[in-house]
Amino acid sequence: MGAEHFDLQPLDATFGAVVTGMKLAEIDDGAFAELYDAWLDYALLIFPGQHLARDEQIAFARRFGPPEFEIAPISNVRADGSVRPEDTADDVIKVLKGNMGWHCDSTYMPVQAKGAVFTCHVAPDAGGETGWADMRAAYDALDEATAARIADLSAHHSLRYSQGKIGLGDYSGYGMTETEAPLRPLVKIHPETGRKCLMVGRHAHAIPGMSEADSERLLQDLADFAVQPPRVYHHAWTPGDAVVWDNRALMHRACPWDMTKPRVMYHSRIAGDPASEGWVH
């Protein structure tokens, strides 16, 4: 696929590939069409050595669709260059700690994100990896009884819930002002590939018709099952790396690191289509 435009090396997992031989800032329409097809197939594409500038990252992300937001730092470094203390009263630290739980982006918003472009500017020497989990392969691996049990179930999704559960709620930030918790099926049909994907993660809770305890147990069991090899990959970052992932098919998380060390990433979130990623009341 796309041999004339780029080289693609699949990861040792059920998903994902490393892409070389192209500069994302200079990609033409023909190459992008092939890249988009590869993205739907692999769900995660990793591009070493890109060193995208802010405007280049935004422009590349926009090729996948309109932005949910154009770009935001995911960083423990202040504007003056100093590293934030690991203070859980700090709203930024609360966000960074929350991101360490497995999740899909914006499931707590009225419209779930389509995907994201993520770039590394400063990486710690150890830790701070980003992990992804293939929710297509996770669904495919379910036993028949579990698949039948969850076929018609849904769960509410809330950032207030997920942050509160780890004791890091009550902050002013993106998604925290949402007063309703969208109800989303546990089995999502991918709108472009038609594949069934598990839809769980840290924001999911309160399955209608189940007790709180039974709901929590089922959601945790499904998430734990999903993040087993060969359905997971953790990427050790090198400054200059860029990735794009399909938020409709993968969960992701940040891994802990020594937070006295700087870690500076930039995130561009691609808006979902309300027809397929919206919350149907």
Side-chain angles (χ1 to χ4, degrees):
M1 178 186 293
E4 69 273 25
H5 283 130
F6 53 84
D7 297 312
L8 189 148
Q9 181 63 46
L11 300 175
D12 184 20
T14 57
F15 70 107
V18 176
V19 181
T20 54
M22 63 159 46
K23 290 186 176 182
L24 296 181
E26 301 173 4
I27 185 172
D28 63 30
D29 289 345
F32 181 77
E34 294 183 19
L35 195 69
Y36 191 91
D37 286 344
W39 180 66
L40 289 179
D41 286 344
Y42 288 96
L44 170 70
L45 299 179
I46 300 167
F47 307 90
Q50 294 290 327
H51 297 280
L52 294 178
R54 177 187 177 92
D55 290 349
E56 291 170 339
Q57 176 170 340
I58 292 169
F60 178 62
R62 279 183 170 273
R63 299 187 85 150
F64 289 84
E68 182 174 330
F69 54 78
E70 284 194 327
I71 196 163
I74 307 292
S75 169
N76 66 332
V77 180
R78 298 188 182 97
D80 66 6
S82 63
V83 175
R84 293 176 179 274
E86 192 175 342
D87 176 4
T88 53
D90 180 335
D91 285 2
V92 172
I93 298 298
K94 289 179 181 181
V95 173
L96 295 175
K97 293 277 191 180
N99 286 342
M100 294 176 187
W102 286 105
H103 63 285
C104 298
D105 283 337
S106 296
T107 56
Y108 49 81
M109 300 295 285
V111 180
Q112 175 187 340
K114 178 180 182 180
V117 174
F118 210 53
T119 59
C120 176
H121 292 242
V122 179
D125 292 336
E129 303 90 349
T130 298
W132 289 271
D134 187 347
M135 306 308 281
R136 311 165 303 179
Y139 178 81
D140 291 346
L142 292 174
D143 61 73
E144 288 186 13
T146 303
R149 181 186 181 195
I150 69 172
D152 298 317
L153 296 181
S154 296
H156 290 281
H157 288 248
S158 167
L159 183 61
R160 286 184 172 184
Y161 164 81
S162 55
Q163 288 292 123
K165 188 176 181 181
I166 59 172
L168 296 175
D170 301 321
Y171 67 86
S172 58
Y174 187 78
M176 203 43 90
T177 58
E178 296 298 313
T179 56
E180 295 187 279
L183 190 63
R184 300 188 180 281
L186 266 58
V187 181
K188 178 177 178 60
I189 307 298
H190 192 290
E192 294 187 82
T193 68
R195 289 189 68 177
K196 291 182 176 180
C197 312
L198 267 185
M199 176 56 65
V200 289
R202 74 186 190 100
H203 306 309
H205 66 290
I207 298 172
M210 294 183 71
S211 71
E212 181 180 355
D214 287 346
S215 172
E216 288 292 304
R217 187 177 305 110
L218 175 58
L219 290 168
Q220 191 62 55
D221 286 349
L222 291 170
D224 289 346
F225 176 78
V227 299
Q228 300 302 314
R231 299 183 289 274
V232 287
Y233 168 75
H234 285 83
H235 185 66
W237 293 101
T238 298
D241 287 352
V243 306
V244 59
W245 75 84
D246 189 337
N247 189 61
R248 305 161 299 182
L250 305 180
M251 287 200 299
H252 64 281
R253 67 166 180 180
C255 292
W257 76 97
D258 175 356
M259 294 186 84
T260 66
K261 308 294 186 184
R263 181 180 185 267
V264 181
M265 320 292 289
Y266 280 87
H267 178 103
S268 298
R269 192 168 296 179
I270 304 154
D273 180 352
S276 55
E277 272 57 68
W279 174 27
V280 180
H281 292 257

